Amino acid sequence: MRLILLFGALFMSLAAPASATSEKVAEPGWSLVIHGGAGVIERSRISPETDAAVRAALARALEAGSSVLSNGGDAMDAVQAAIIVLEDDPNFNAGHGAVFTYEGTNELDAAVMDGAERKAGAIARASATKNPILLARKVMEESPHVLLSGEGADRFSAEQGLDQVDNSYFATPERKRQLEELKAKKVGWFDVDLKYGTVGAVARDTKGNVAAGTSTGGLTGKRYGRIGDSPLIGAGTYADNRSCAISATGAGEFFIRVGVAHEICTRIRMKAEARAEFLVQEAARGGRTLDAANQQDLLASALSADEVQSIADAVIGEMGALGGSGGIIYLTPWGHQGYSFDTPGMYRGMASSDGTSSVAVYGDE
Ligand code: ASP
């Protein structure tokens, strides 16, 4: 680690742009970041009871994921553990509590990605798997495919022995009311005023691997077999040990068009690699040769926390400029982690091996 700091200092003195800060990046132990959706989440619109219930659920999800990571478990297992808690909680638009389609059914989308080998699994329009995130993982681990949909996804789920439920298991009175409200307003497609309640998690384990997962019911009133960004690898979900892990929530169509999750990871990777390369050449000019381990250390210290945050904010800004809204959670293999969203609020939480743990709801927290 001293080496990392040394090269970090070297880099800061040689090549840092004026806007970069030397803000300390967390020591890369384990880390977990979760979300339960972004949107028009304002104090005036959320009852104290919902506020408390959401915070309690986020805290439980953090606990579930943290206990995997603190016991030396894998990032993917932590992502899964955190998401199951949120899928089971009716306050979030995933699993039990998913939003309704226009026809009054529930169609579930989910994805997972493992940053070590960039393995991924996803499902769209599943209707009977109690915990859709488990089905996405089965696709990753037990099939040669990345994305299964509809009736085929349901059949694969049953074959894999996952818990099956009647479609009515996902329904809640509040989601029914939201569908009726949307229909009464006679808005053309879906109501952009409603908050997005998709859930997601990203984790880094003590081996330095990152993973991401996202689970959702999609958007209230979706029709014609609409599929959003959540199960699309690169749009709403992405993980790559060379850069970052991302899970998104928001107006899916815009996240798909920008390829938000992959775009953020690519920008981080290219910037980190370019910086590391610069320092290798700089060292060579000084007559020193850096071995592979040194070069890894260079990568780890190449970007400041502010620079990673700026990349995430820039991509969210581009998505917003197209007319969308929403947010993402991120973390890197090197100890950066955070959120970026352009909505009034985002249900979110973060925990790390340094003992910190926090949940937040509104934008000003
Ligand atoms: N992104 C999801 C979708 O478009 C919705 C959400 O975030 O709640 O399906």
mmCIF file of all heavy atoms in Angstrom, residues 35-38 93 99 109 190 194-199 214-220 222 226-231 236 248-256 325-327, ligand 1:
data_model
loop_
_atom_site.group_PDB
_atom_site.id
_atom_site.type_symbol
_atom_site.label_atom_id
_atom_site.label_comp_id
_atom_site.label_asym_id
_atom_site.label_seq_id
_atom_site.Cartn_x
_atom_site.Cartn_y
_atom_site.Cartn_z
ATOM 1 N N HIS A 35 -28.940 0.416 -3.850
ATOM 2 C CA HIS A 35 -29.999 1.413 -4.082
ATOM 3 C C HIS A 35 -31.352 0.735 -4.131
ATOM 4 O O HIS A 35 -31.455 -0.473 -4.383
ATOM 5 C CB HIS A 35 -29.740 2.221 -5.359
ATOM 6 C CG HIS A 35 -29.968 1.448 -6.628
ATOM 7 N ND1 HIS A 35 -31.218 1.243 -7.168
ATOM 8 C CD2 HIS A 35 -29.107 0.833 -7.486
ATOM 9 C CE1 HIS A 35 -31.116 0.550 -8.287
ATOM 10 N NE2 HIS A 35 -29.838 0.278 -8.503
ATOM 11 N N GLY A 36 -32.383 1.539 -3.869
ATOM 12 C CA GLY A 36 -33.754 1.039 -3.946
ATOM 13 C C GLY A 36 -34.584 1.917 -4.849
ATOM 14 O O GLY A 36 -35.791 2.043 -4.682
ATOM 15 N N GLY A 37 -33.898 2.571 -5.823
ATOM 16 C CA GLY A 37 -34.613 3.402 -6.791
ATOM 17 C C GLY A 37 -34.353 4.884 -6.587
ATOM 18 O O GLY A 37 -34.000 5.321 -5.494
ATOM 19 N N ALA A 38 -34.496 5.625 -7.683
ATOM 20 C CA ALA A 38 -34.342 7.084 -7.641
ATOM 21 C C ALA A 38 -35.614 7.696 -8.202
ATOM 22 O O ALA A 38 -36.426 7.006 -8.783
ATOM 23 C CB ALA A 38 -33.147 7.504 -8.493
ATOM 24 N N ASN A 93 -39.737 -1.648 -5.982
ATOM 25 C CA ASN A 93 -40.265 -2.167 -7.244
ATOM 26 C C ASN A 93 -39.408 -3.319 -7.756
ATOM 27 O O ASN A 93 -38.709 -3.204 -8.761
ATOM 28 C CB ASN A 93 -40.321 -1.009 -8.261
ATOM 29 C CG ASN A 93 -40.643 -1.481 -9.658
ATOM 30 O OD1 ASN A 93 -41.189 -2.567 -9.850
ATOM 31 N ND2 ASN A 93 -40.301 -0.664 -10.645
ATOM 32 N N VAL A 99 -44.053 -3.247 -9.802
ATOM 33 C CA VAL A 99 -45.131 -2.473 -10.432
ATOM 34 C C VAL A 99 -45.897 -3.344 -11.432
ATOM 35 O O VAL A 99 -45.413 -4.390 -11.879
ATOM 36 C CB VAL A 99 -44.584 -1.215 -11.157
ATOM 37 C CG1 VAL A 99 -43.897 -0.287 -10.171
ATOM 38 C CG2 VAL A 99 -43.660 -1.597 -12.313
ATOM 39 N N ASP A 109 -37.703 -8.172 -14.344
ATOM 40 C CA ASP A 109 -36.412 -8.115 -15.041
ATOM 41 C C ASP A 109 -35.293 -8.121 -13.989
ATOM 42 O O ASP A 109 -35.432 -7.464 -12.952
ATOM 43 C CB ASP A 109 -36.267 -6.809 -15.837
ATOM 44 C CG ASP A 109 -37.337 -6.613 -16.904
ATOM 45 O OD1 ASP A 109 -37.999 -7.595 -17.288
ATOM 46 O OD2 ASP A 109 -37.500 -5.458 -17.343
ATOM 47 N N PHE A 190 -45.877 5.847 -19.983
ATOM 48 C CA PHE A 190 -45.817 5.650 -18.541
ATOM 49 C C PHE A 190 -45.648 6.983 -17.859
ATOM 50 O O PHE A 190 -45.253 7.969 -18.485
ATOM 51 C CB PHE A 190 -44.732 4.673 -18.097
ATOM 52 C CG PHE A 190 -43.709 4.359 -19.125
ATOM 53 C CD1 PHE A 190 -42.793 5.312 -19.506
ATOM 54 C CD2 PHE A 190 -43.669 3.108 -19.725
ATOM 55 C CE1 PHE A 190 -41.836 5.027 -20.467
ATOM 56 C CE2 PHE A 190 -42.724 2.826 -20.694
ATOM 57 C CZ PHE A 190 -41.821 3.775 -21.065
ATOM 58 N N LEU A 194 -43.877 9.256 -11.443
ATOM 59 C CA LEU A 194 -43.767 8.231 -10.405
ATOM 60 C C LEU A 194 -42.302 7.927 -10.144
ATOM 61 O O LEU A 194 -41.482 7.983 -11.038
ATOM 62 C CB LEU A 194 -44.504 6.969 -10.838
ATOM 63 C CG LEU A 194 -46.019 7.100 -10.873
ATOM 64 C CD1 LEU A 194 -46.642 5.818 -11.391
ATOM 65 C CD2 LEU A 194 -46.568 7.419 -9.492
ATOM 66 N N LYS A 195 -42.007 7.594 -8.911
ATOM 67 C CA LYS A 195 -40.605 7.316 -8.620
ATOM 68 C C LYS A 195 -40.245 5.909 -9.098
ATOM 69 O O LYS A 195 -41.088 5.033 -9.197
ATOM 70 C CB LYS A 195 -40.326 7.478 -7.137
ATOM 71 C CG LYS A 195 -41.111 6.555 -6.239
ATOM 72 C CD LYS A 195 -40.843 6.923 -4.799
ATOM 73 C CE LYS A 195 -41.879 6.370 -3.845
ATOM 74 N NZ LYS A 195 -42.248 4.980 -4.031
ATOM 75 N N TYR A 196 -38.992 5.739 -9.396
ATOM 76 C CA TYR A 196 -38.497 4.437 -9.828
ATOM 77 C C TYR A 196 -38.087 3.672 -8.568
ATOM 78 O O TYR A 196 -37.434 4.225 -7.708
ATOM 79 C CB TYR A 196 -37.290 4.620 -10.741
ATOM 80 C CG TYR A 196 -37.560 5.583 -11.870
ATOM 81 C CD1 TYR A 196 -37.016 6.858 -11.872
ATOM 82 C CD2 TYR A 196 -38.394 5.213 -12.912
ATOM 83 C CE1 TYR A 196 -37.279 7.745 -12.906
ATOM 84 C CE2 TYR A 196 -38.665 6.094 -13.948
ATOM 85 C CZ TYR A 196 -38.105 7.358 -13.942
ATOM 86 O OH TYR A 196 -38.368 8.231 -14.955
ATOM 87 N N GLY A 197 -38.461 2.423 -8.494
ATOM 88 C CA GLY A 197 -38.150 1.689 -7.255
ATOM 89 C C GLY A 197 -37.300 0.469 -7.463
ATOM 90 O O GLY A 197 -37.219 -0.420 -6.605
ATOM 91 N N THR A 198 -36.653 0.431 -8.606
ATOM 92 C CA THR A 198 -35.733 -0.674 -8.901
ATOM 93 C C THR A 198 -34.695 -0.819 -7.798
ATOM 94 O O THR A 198 -34.305 0.177 -7.193
ATOM 95 C CB THR A 198 -35.034 -0.358 -10.244
ATOM 96 O OG1 THR A 198 -35.999 -0.472 -11.275
ATOM 97 C CG2 THR A 198 -33.877 -1.275 -10.528
ATOM 98 N N VAL A 199 -34.225 -2.035 -7.557
ATOM 99 C CA VAL A 199 -33.196 -2.226 -6.533
ATOM 100 C C VAL A 199 -31.907 -2.714 -7.185
ATOM 101 O O VAL A 199 -31.928 -3.338 -8.252
ATOM 102 C CB VAL A 199 -33.651 -3.219 -5.438
ATOM 103 C CG1 VAL A 199 -35.007 -2.827 -4.892
ATOM 104 C CG2 VAL A 199 -33.674 -4.665 -5.936
ATOM 105 N N THR A 214 -29.015 -6.023 -10.423
ATOM 106 C CA THR A 214 -30.154 -5.098 -10.475
ATOM 107 C C THR A 214 -31.420 -5.942 -10.628
ATOM 108 O O THR A 214 -31.403 -6.957 -11.331
ATOM 109 C CB THR A 214 -30.033 -4.151 -11.695
ATOM 110 O OG1 THR A 214 -28.729 -3.590 -11.725
ATOM 111 C CG2 THR A 214 -31.057 -3.023 -11.622
ATOM 112 N N SER A 215 -32.514 -5.528 -9.971
ATOM 113 C CA SER A 215 -33.767 -6.270 -10.084
ATOM 114 C C SER A 215 -34.925 -5.285 -10.090
ATOM 115 O O SER A 215 -34.931 -4.315 -9.323
ATOM 116 C CB SER A 215 -33.898 -7.242 -8.900
ATOM 117 O OG SER A 215 -35.101 -7.973 -8.981
ATOM 118 N N THR A 216 -35.918 -5.528 -10.953
ATOM 119 C CA THR A 216 -37.000 -4.544 -11.095
ATOM 120 C C THR A 216 -38.285 -5.153 -11.647
ATOM 121 O O THR A 216 -38.253 -6.215 -12.279
ATOM 122 C CB THR A 216 -36.561 -3.411 -12.064
ATOM 123 O OG1 THR A 216 -37.542 -2.375 -12.060
ATOM 124 C CG2 THR A 216 -36.394 -3.920 -13.482
ATOM 125 N N GLY A 217 -39.375 -4.436 -11.404
ATOM 126 C CA GLY A 217 -40.632 -4.742 -12.090
ATOM 127 C C GLY A 217 -40.775 -3.894 -13.336
ATOM 128 O O GLY A 217 -41.759 -3.994 -14.061
ATOM 129 N N GLY A 218 -39.809 -2.995 -13.569
ATOM 130 C CA GLY A 218 -39.877 -2.117 -14.743
ATOM 131 C C GLY A 218 -40.648 -0.844 -14.439
ATOM 132 O O GLY A 218 -40.515 -0.289 -13.348
ATOM 133 N N LEU A 219 -41.460 -0.400 -15.368
ATOM 134 C CA LEU A 219 -42.227 0.835 -15.179
ATOM 135 C C LEU A 219 -43.719 0.527 -15.123
ATOM 136 O O LEU A 219 -44.205 -0.325 -15.875
ATOM 137 C CB LEU A 219 -41.960 1.812 -16.332
ATOM 138 C CG LEU A 219 -40.536 2.367 -16.439
ATOM 139 C CD1 LEU A 219 -40.443 3.337 -17.612
ATOM 140 C CD2 LEU A 219 -40.123 3.078 -15.149
ATOM 141 N N THR A 220 -44.431 1.221 -14.241
ATOM 142 C CA THR A 220 -45.883 1.060 -14.134
ATOM 143 C C THR A 220 -46.530 1.281 -15.504
ATOM 144 O O THR A 220 -46.223 2.251 -16.196
ATOM 145 C CB THR A 220 -46.459 2.109 -13.156
ATOM 146 O OG1 THR A 220 -45.843 1.934 -11.887
ATOM 147 C CG2 THR A 220 -47.972 1.956 -13.014
ATOM 148 N N LYS A 222 -46.264 -0.503 -18.193
ATOM 149 C CA LYS A 222 -45.495 -0.913 -19.385
ATOM 150 C C LYS A 222 -46.345 -1.879 -20.208
ATOM 151 O O LYS A 222 -47.120 -2.659 -19.669
ATOM 152 C CB LYS A 222 -44.153 -1.526 -18.968
ATOM 153 C CG LYS A 222 -44.237 -2.812 -18.162
ATOM 154 C CD LYS A 222 -42.853 -3.312 -17.733
ATOM 155 C CE LYS A 222 -42.958 -4.638 -16.997
ATOM 156 N NZ LYS A 222 -41.647 -5.165 -16.565
ATOM 157 N N ARG A 226 -42.521 -4.496 -23.191
ATOM 158 C CA ARG A 226 -41.426 -3.538 -22.952
ATOM 159 C C ARG A 226 -40.393 -4.097 -21.952
ATOM 160 O O ARG A 226 -40.732 -4.670 -20.925
ATOM 161 C CB ARG A 226 -42.023 -2.240 -22.415
ATOM 162 C CG ARG A 226 -41.007 -1.134 -22.132
ATOM 163 C CD ARG A 226 -40.600 -1.090 -20.685
ATOM 164 N NE ARG A 226 -39.709 0.044 -20.425
ATOM 165 C CZ ARG A 226 -39.005 0.194 -19.301
ATOM 166 N NH1 ARG A 226 -39.080 -0.705 -18.345
ATOM 167 N NH2 ARG A 226 -38.231 1.231 -19.136
ATOM 168 N N ILE A 227 -39.132 -3.916 -22.267
ATOM 169 C CA ILE A 227 -38.029 -4.297 -21.380
ATOM 170 C C ILE A 227 -37.176 -3.056 -21.160
ATOM 171 O O ILE A 227 -36.863 -2.336 -22.117
ATOM 172 C CB ILE A 227 -37.188 -5.430 -22.003
ATOM 173 C CG1 ILE A 227 -38.044 -6.707 -22.158
ATOM 174 C CG2 ILE A 227 -35.952 -5.725 -21.158
ATOM 175 C CD1 ILE A 227 -37.411 -7.764 -23.049
ATOM 176 N N GLY A 228 -36.798 -2.802 -19.914
ATOM 177 C CA GLY A 228 -36.009 -1.609 -19.602
ATOM 178 C C GLY A 228 -34.515 -1.888 -19.592
ATOM 179 O O GLY A 228 -34.032 -2.865 -20.179
ATOM 180 N N ASP A 229 -33.796 -1.018 -18.919
ATOM 181 C CA ASP A 229 -32.328 -1.094 -18.902
ATOM 182 C C ASP A 229 -31.797 -2.128 -17.908
ATOM 183 O O ASP A 229 -30.689 -2.649 -18.077
ATOM 184 C CB ASP A 229 -31.738 0.271 -18.528
ATOM 185 C CG ASP A 229 -32.220 0.731 -17.155
ATOM 186 O OD1 ASP A 229 -33.451 0.654 -16.894
ATOM 187 O OD2 ASP A 229 -31.393 1.162 -16.344
ATOM 188 N N SER A 230 -32.588 -2.405 -16.854
ATOM 189 C CA SER A 230 -32.051 -3.195 -15.735
ATOM 190 C C SER A 230 -31.441 -4.530 -16.156
ATOM 191 O O SER A 230 -30.347 -4.884 -15.710
ATOM 192 C CB SER A 230 -33.129 -3.422 -14.670
ATOM 193 O OG SER A 230 -33.739 -2.215 -14.338
ATOM 194 N N PRO A 231 -32.130 -5.323 -17.027
ATOM 195 C CA PRO A 231 -31.551 -6.624 -17.388
ATOM 196 C C PRO A 231 -30.593 -6.542 -18.567
ATOM 197 O O PRO A 231 -30.096 -7.587 -19.009
ATOM 198 C CB PRO A 231 -32.788 -7.441 -17.774
ATOM 199 C CG PRO A 231 -33.709 -6.431 -18.374
ATOM 200 C CD PRO A 231 -33.479 -5.141 -17.610
ATOM 201 N N GLY A 236 -28.102 -1.006 -17.639
ATOM 202 C CA GLY A 236 -28.439 -0.812 -16.233
ATOM 203 C C GLY A 236 -27.546 -1.564 -15.273
ATOM 204 O O GLY A 236 -27.618 -1.353 -14.060
ATOM 205 N N ALA A 248 -28.006 0.653 -12.076
ATOM 206 C CA ALA A 248 -28.736 1.888 -12.376
ATOM 207 C C ALA A 248 -30.205 1.797 -12.006
ATOM 208 O O ALA A 248 -30.761 0.710 -11.848
ATOM 209 C CB ALA A 248 -28.617 2.200 -13.865
ATOM 210 N N THR A 249 -30.827 2.965 -11.910
ATOM 211 C CA THR A 249 -32.276 3.066 -11.775
ATOM 212 C C THR A 249 -32.723 4.359 -12.431
ATOM 213 O O THR A 249 -32.026 5.361 -12.358
ATOM 214 C CB THR A 249 -32.712 3.049 -10.295
ATOM 215 O OG1 THR A 249 -34.124 3.338 -10.241
ATOM 216 C CG2 THR A 249 -31.970 4.074 -9.460
ATOM 217 N N GLY A 250 -33.865 4.313 -13.078
ATOM 218 C CA GLY A 250 -34.345 5.531 -13.733
ATOM 219 C C GLY A 250 -35.117 5.200 -14.987
ATOM 220 O O GLY A 250 -35.574 4.068 -15.175
ATOM 221 N N ALA A 251 -35.250 6.182 -15.848
ATOM 222 C CA ALA A 251 -36.008 6.035 -17.091
ATOM 223 C C ALA A 251 -35.209 5.154 -18.045
ATOM 224 O O ALA A 251 -34.348 5.623 -18.783
ATOM 225 C CB ALA A 251 -36.265 7.409 -17.704
ATOM 226 N N GLY A 252 -35.522 3.870 -18.035
ATOM 227 C CA GLY A 252 -34.691 2.857 -18.679
ATOM 228 C C GLY A 252 -34.336 3.139 -20.127
ATOM 229 O O GLY A 252 -33.212 2.860 -20.559
ATOM 230 N N GLU A 253 -35.278 3.682 -20.879
ATOM 231 C CA GLU A 253 -35.031 3.912 -22.305
ATOM 232 C C GLU A 253 -33.794 4.788 -22.512
ATOM 233 O O GLU A 253 -33.008 4.580 -23.437
ATOM 234 C CB GLU A 253 -36.266 4.561 -22.948
ATOM 235 C CG GLU A 253 -37.399 3.572 -23.284
ATOM 236 C CD GLU A 253 -38.056 2.898 -22.076
ATOM 237 O OE1 GLU A 253 -37.845 3.336 -20.926
ATOM 238 O OE2 GLU A 253 -38.783 1.906 -22.281
ATOM 239 N N PHE A 254 -33.610 5.762 -21.648
ATOM 240 C CA PHE A 254 -32.468 6.683 -21.798
ATOM 241 C C PHE A 254 -31.166 6.023 -21.355
ATOM 242 O O PHE A 254 -30.111 6.266 -21.932
ATOM 243 C CB PHE A 254 -32.737 7.979 -21.028
ATOM 244 C CG PHE A 254 -33.935 8.711 -21.584
ATOM 245 C CD1 PHE A 254 -35.208 8.472 -21.093
ATOM 246 C CD2 PHE A 254 -33.782 9.579 -22.642
ATOM 247 C CE1 PHE A 254 -36.314 9.112 -21.630
ATOM 248 C CE2 PHE A 254 -34.882 10.230 -23.199
ATOM 249 C CZ PHE A 254 -36.151 9.986 -22.693
ATOM 250 N N PHE A 255 -31.259 5.188 -20.347
ATOM 251 C CA PHE A 255 -30.060 4.459 -19.903
ATOM 252 C C PHE A 255 -29.603 3.479 -20.989
ATOM 253 O O PHE A 255 -28.409 3.258 -21.179
ATOM 254 C CB PHE A 255 -30.331 3.723 -18.589
ATOM 255 C CG PHE A 255 -30.307 4.627 -17.392
ATOM 256 C CD1 PHE A 255 -31.357 5.501 -17.137
ATOM 257 C CD2 PHE A 255 -29.223 4.635 -16.523
ATOM 258 C CE1 PHE A 255 -31.334 6.368 -16.054
ATOM 259 C CE2 PHE A 255 -29.190 5.490 -15.427
ATOM 260 C CZ PHE A 255 -30.249 6.354 -15.189
ATOM 261 N N ILE A 256 -30.571 2.917 -21.704
ATOM 262 C CA ILE A 256 -30.217 2.007 -22.804
ATOM 263 C C ILE A 256 -29.515 2.794 -23.909
ATOM 264 O O ILE A 256 -28.482 2.376 -24.436
ATOM 265 C CB ILE A 256 -31.482 1.311 -23.367
ATOM 266 C CG1 ILE A 256 -32.110 0.393 -22.308
ATOM 267 C CG2 ILE A 256 -31.136 0.517 -24.628
ATOM 268 C CD1 ILE A 256 -33.486 -0.159 -22.699
ATOM 269 N N SER A 325 -33.952 10.646 -16.686
ATOM 270 C CA SER A 325 -33.557 10.975 -15.315
ATOM 271 C C SER A 325 -33.362 9.684 -14.546
ATOM 272 O O SER A 325 -33.891 8.638 -14.929
ATOM 273 C CB SER A 325 -34.608 11.850 -14.633
ATOM 274 O OG SER A 325 -35.786 11.103 -14.454
ATOM 275 N N GLY A 326 -32.582 9.777 -13.470
ATOM 276 C CA GLY A 326 -32.320 8.587 -12.664
ATOM 277 C C GLY A 326 -30.943 8.656 -12.047
ATOM 278 O O GLY A 326 -30.373 9.739 -11.885
ATOM 279 N N GLY A 327 -30.395 7.495 -11.719
ATOM 280 C CA GLY A 327 -29.091 7.504 -11.071
ATOM 281 C C GLY A 327 -28.426 6.146 -11.084
ATOM 282 O O GLY A 327 -28.988 5.156 -11.563
HETATM 283 N N1 ASP B 1 -34.902 1.449 -14.820
HETATM 284 C C1 ASP B 1 -36.125 0.711 -14.652
HETATM 285 C C2 ASP B 1 -36.754 0.481 -16.003
HETATM 286 O O1 ASP B 1 -36.727 1.365 -16.829
HETATM 287 C C3 ASP B 1 -37.100 1.392 -13.765
HETATM 288 C C4 ASP B 1 -36.584 1.781 -12.399
HETATM 289 O O2 ASP B 1 -35.426 2.162 -12.257
HETATM 290 O O3 ASP B 1 -37.371 1.704 -11.428
HETATM 291 O O4 ASP B 1 -37.316 -0.573 -16.196
#
